[in-house]
């Protein structure tokens, strides 16, 4: 029998290549291994499906965030731990999504990683293409990223391992009462 859990959303924000999707997948694997209902809303997957009709203008980015926030809202209402991994470049859009959730349901986590490190990690070649002018409006290069000034948690993904970031995130969620049971951090490293 699956454990019943309260829904919550962990909103991972940061530049492309900052480690959002990697940390999200790690946390999801861990939580589902404990029979908790968890699901990753990944920005790339949303852009390939639900948001495939959107470009990268400011208004399209706002609509992308609105749709992602609504999808997260529905999953949280169903009792799912949602791990949203989206660049979400504008602070006003992140604040707008936060407003859709009740107290203790939304946790903004900034994956802090210097641009130079993100560019080194760029397996898709997106930063190179943006610097060469082949991708207009690329966040961090030709389109702004507004660093969170009030994130609930900051993960330093340039210096922390995925396991360290996942352990810190897990401890944060437990401290916030967002997880329904005590979870052993040592099991994360196993």
């Amino acid at each position: 029998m699956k454990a019943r859990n309260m829904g919550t959303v962990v909103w991972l924000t940061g530049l492309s290549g900052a480690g959002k999707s990697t940390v999200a997948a790690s946390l999801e694997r861990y939580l589902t291994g404990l029979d908790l209902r968890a699901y990753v809303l990944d920005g790339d997957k949303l852009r390939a499906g639900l948001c495939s009709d959107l470009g990268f203008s400011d208004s399209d980015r706002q609509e992308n965030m609105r749709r992602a926030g609504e999808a997260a809202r529905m999953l949280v209402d169903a009792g799912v731990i949602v791990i949203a991994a989206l660049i979400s470049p504008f602070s006003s859009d992140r604040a707008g999504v936060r407003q859709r959730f009740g107290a203790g349901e939304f946790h903004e986590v900034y994956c802090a990683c210097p641009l130079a490190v993100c560019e080194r990690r760029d397996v898709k070649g997106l930063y190179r293409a943006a610097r060469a002018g082949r991708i207009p409006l690329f966040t961090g290069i030709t389109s702004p990223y507004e660093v969170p000034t009030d994130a609930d948690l900051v993960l330093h993904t340039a210096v922390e391992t995925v396991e360290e970031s996942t352990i810190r995130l897990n401890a944060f969620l437990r401290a916030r009462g967002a997880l329904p049971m005590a979870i052993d951090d040592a099991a994360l490293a196993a």
Side-chain angles (χ1 to χ4, degrees):
M1 180 174 175
K2 288 272 187 192
R4 176 135 169 76
N5 56 276
M6 301 177 342
T8 195
V9 63
V10 179
W11 197 276
L12 300 171
T13 179
L15 292 171
S16 179
K20 300 175 303 297
S21 295
T22 304
V23 170
S26 175
L27 183 63
E28 180 190 38
R29 274 190 310 277
Y30 180 69
L31 294 175
T32 58
L34 295 171
D35 285 335
L36 297 174
R37 294 180 347 177
Y39 186 79
V40 172
L41 280 179
D42 183 78
D44 288 343
K45 290 180 182 175
L46 287 170
R47 285 264 183 197
L50 180 64
C51 300
S52 63
D53 61 324
L54 300 175
F56 291 92
S57 68
D58 288 356
S59 62
D60 282 350
R61 288 172 194 260
Q62 291 166 342
E63 177 61 13
N64 183 61
M65 289 284 298
R66 189 194 70 75
R67 291 180 193 181
E70 288 302 317
R73 173 77 266 159
M74 288 185 280
L75 289 166
V76 166
D77 286 347
V80 176
I81 299 168
V82 178
I83 309 155
L86 296 101
I87 293 171
S88 38
F90 304 125
S91 57
S92 61
D93 293 337
R94 294 190 301 265
V97 171
R98 182 187 290 269
Q99 291 175 351
R100 289 184 169 91
F101 294 89
E105 288 183 326
F106 184 92
H107 313 279
E108 183 179 355
V109 178
Y110 173 42
C111 292
C113 188
L115 179 60
V117 173
C118 292
E119 288 191 72
R120 281 197 305 273
R121 293 177 174 173
D122 183 21
V123 296
K124 299 176 194 172
L126 298 175
Y127 282 103
R128 276 190 308 277
R131 289 204 181 275
R134 294 190 304 273
I135 300 177
L137 302 175
F138 189 78
T139 304
I141 303 299
T142 54
S143 185
Y145 177 79
E146 297 171 356
V147 173
T149 58
D150 59 352
D152 299 306
L153 177 67
V154 177
L155 299 176
H156 300 281
T157 56
V159 294
E160 295 173 358
T161 66
V162 174
E163 294 78 18
E164 289 168 338
S165 289
T166 305
I167 288 168
R168 289 189 57 228
L169 187 48
N170 175 43
F172 164 80
L173 292 171
R174 279 194 327 226
R176 286 279 179 105
L179 296 181
M181 64 176 80
I183 298 172
D184 182 13
D185 285 340
L188 278 168

